[in-house]
Amino acid sequence: MTKRVCIIEGDDAAPEVVRPTVELLEAMELDLELLRPLTGEAAIQAGGDGFPDAAREDVDRADATLFGATSGKTRGAVQHLRSGKQTYANVRPIKWVPGAASPLARPEGIDYVIVRENLEDLYLGIEGDLSELNATIFAERVAGRGVDLGGAGRYALKIITEKGTRRAVRFACRLATQRKLEGRPGKVTAVAKYNLLRQTDGLFVETARDEVARHGEVEYEEFIVDNFAHLQVTRPQSLDVVVMPNLYGDILSDAGAGTIGGLGVAPSGCYGDDYAYFEPVHGTAPDIAGQGIINPTAAILSAVMMLDYFKMPDAARRLESAVASVYADGKALTPDQGGQATTGEFCTAVRRFM
Ligand code: ATP
């Protein structure tokens, strides 16, 4: 059955990775229908918004969206794809491909996935002035902690719900079950600062424990987030599927990307119950925009995740192993990987190995 994909290239250097990724998909002659609404700078120049209604309709008509990254112009797209489509599980694989420029002495065998809860936590962005807090409740709570609520200051709300946590953990469990069939350990690791934030992160791990127990075949462990950060660098090979609240997931998936060759190689997918969108972990890389040297690996591997979501495993493996061959060969790597190839030369090499 034909799958419809909405393409939103994003801002700055992001189109330079999305366009060649789409060209690779086209070259594979898959059963895909591509929708390409006008967005970002082009839409603004045409006198409209960076994410006009027509683009929103295309996102809604599609089975999934392939997205670049935004520096603001296409922010409306991210809001729609995230809160509008309730994509609660942000899946960020951390897998080292031989030939990628890991700074670790022994990156062999790094192959785990971070499932970042994508809609809650501090990312609701609810902040304000301390004076807004109800002093009678909070004055009592902060007494003796060396914080003066009467002075100038700000607060931010960290919100964790049982429902939001449970659906992210359930997603992680299903992923662990699936990976077990592929020979991986089938383990879920829950990560949070539950020793300090007993209410919010406490609820996160309690819910994780309870949900994992419903998936008999899945092993379980817990780490305090600072211990996990250490483990991520010292023994990343021990990890399989890791689930964590939004903020930790954002930070630690960039750290994980660092261990396997950097942001240029880290893909992601954001999944809801009936929609998903796929984007590289990296931002818009404005510092290298227009130079033709941005690494398209993260965007291409995000497209691989999309093909798996569409249940097109043969196509997914074909594209994934072509990328792996380019790294094993080592002759057409981009500057972030220590090579001298342009984005275009890298993609030509991928096509040769396809
Ligand atoms: P954001 O706030 O959206 O994350 P940013 O500029 O802070 O944006 P990135 O865009 O992720 O962060 O870039 C961080 C650094 O990594 C920049 O120096 C950028 O050039 C580099 N970088 C990011 N993606 C790639 C890539 N695909 N190939 C090569 N370098 C990249």
Side-chain angles (χ1 to χ4, degrees):
M1 206 174 64
T2 305
K3 294 291 183 188
R4 243 188 232 146
V5 184
C6 181
I7 311 291
I8 300 182
E9 294 179 349
D11 311 323
D12 303 325
E16 297 173 44
V17 294
V18 176
R19 276 178 211 147
T21 299
V22 171
E23 282 168 20
L24 287 168
L25 290 173
E26 285 175 321
M28 292 174 78
E29 297 184 349
L30 304 168
D31 201 0
L32 298 178
E33 181 190 342
L34 305 178
L35 309 176
R36 300 167 190 258
L38 202 60
T39 54
E41 181 63 30
I44 292 167
Q45 286 201 353
D49 185 75
F51 184 58
D53 288 347
R56 183 183 304 261
E57 282 160 24
D58 277 355
V59 167
D60 292 346
R61 279 201 307 133
D63 296 291
T65 290
L66 188 62
F67 185 65
T70 185
S71 58
K73 291 174 186 145
T74 43
R75 184 152 294 143
V78 177
Q79 278 159 3
H80 186 56
L81 288 165
R82 219 169 263 177
S83 342
K85 294 292 180 194
Q86 288 288 292
T87 45
Y88 55 82
N90 183 356
V91 175
R92 298 183 156 189
I94 309 291
K95 181 176 180 180
W96 182 68
V97 175
S102 168
L104 300 188
R106 284 184 296 279
E108 293 80 10
I110 299 179
D111 180 3
Y112 64 96
V113 182
I114 290 179
V115 178
R116 163 190 172 194
E117 195 292 319
N118 207 29
L119 300 176
E120 302 192 336
D121 199 359
L122 282 161
Y123 284 52
L124 289 168
I126 304 171
E127 298 182 289
D129 196 90
L130 278 189
S131 61
E132 290 172 21
L133 295 181
N134 180 337
T136 49
I137 299 174
F138 287 95
E140 220 171 87
R141 290 204 178 174
V142 299
R145 294 178 187 231
V147 178
D148 177 11
L149 279 188
R154 310 274 162 84
Y155 68 87
L157 286 187
K158 174 179 168 95
I159 294 178
I160 303 281
T161 69
E162 187 191 331
K163 181 180 168 204
T165 303
R166 191 173 292 282
R167 59 188 184 179
V169 177
R170 190 179 302 131
F171 193 99
C173 288
R174 290 192 185 133
L175 193 56
T177 304
Q178 190 186 318
R179 284 167 64 88
K180 195 169 185 176
L181 295 174
E182 293 158 9
R184 301 286 310 159
K187 178 176 71 172
V188 166
T189 304
V191 172
K193 189 77 183 173
Y194 48 87
N195 54 333
L196 181 78
L197 299 170
R198 289 169 193 239
Q199 296 279 336
T200 47
D201 284 1
L203 175 64
F204 189 89
V205 289
E206 273 164 36
T207 307
R209 236 175 268 155
D210 183 70
E211 182 59 34
V212 177
R214 299 177 189 198
H215 301 257
E217 68 289 359
V218 177
E219 282 175 48
Y220 181 69
E221 67 183 3
E222 275 165 17
F223 278 97
I224 296 173
V225 63
D226 32 346
N227 292 343
F228 177 81
H230 183 261
L231 177 74
Q232 217 183 353
V233 178
T234 53
R235 279 195 301 124
Q237 288 86 349
S238 69
L239 299 168
D240 190 14
V241 177
V242 188
V243 64
M244 53 183 106
N246 208 339
L247 177 67
Y248 311 134
D250 189 9
I251 297 168
L252 295 175
S253 53
D254 266 38
T259 64
I260 55 162
L263 288 170
V265 302
S268 87
C270 295
Y271 302 78
D273 285 331
D274 44 29
Y275 203 86
Y277 74 98
F278 299 85
E279 61 176 353
V281 167
H282 64 74
T284 61
D287 53 331
I288 54 170
Q291 296 179 31
I293 54 161
I294 188 167
N295 187 346
T297 304
I300 299 170
L301 295 180
S302 300
V304 167
M305 292 175 76
M306 184 178 75
L307 296 176
D308 275 321
Y309 175 68
F310 288 157
K311 302 218 169 4
M312 298 179 173
D314 295 347
R317 299 291 79 74
R318 186 175 159 213
L319 188 52
E320 185 179 37
S321 51
V323 170
S325 300
V326 176
Y327 279 89
D329 177 59
K331 295 197 192 82
L333 300 180
T334 45
D336 61 306
Q337 299 301 308
Q340 291 177 337
T342 62
T343 311
E345 286 161 352
F346 180 95
C347 292
T348 303
V350 173
R351 273 180 95 141
R352 240 197 341 264
F353 283 110
M354 248 164 36

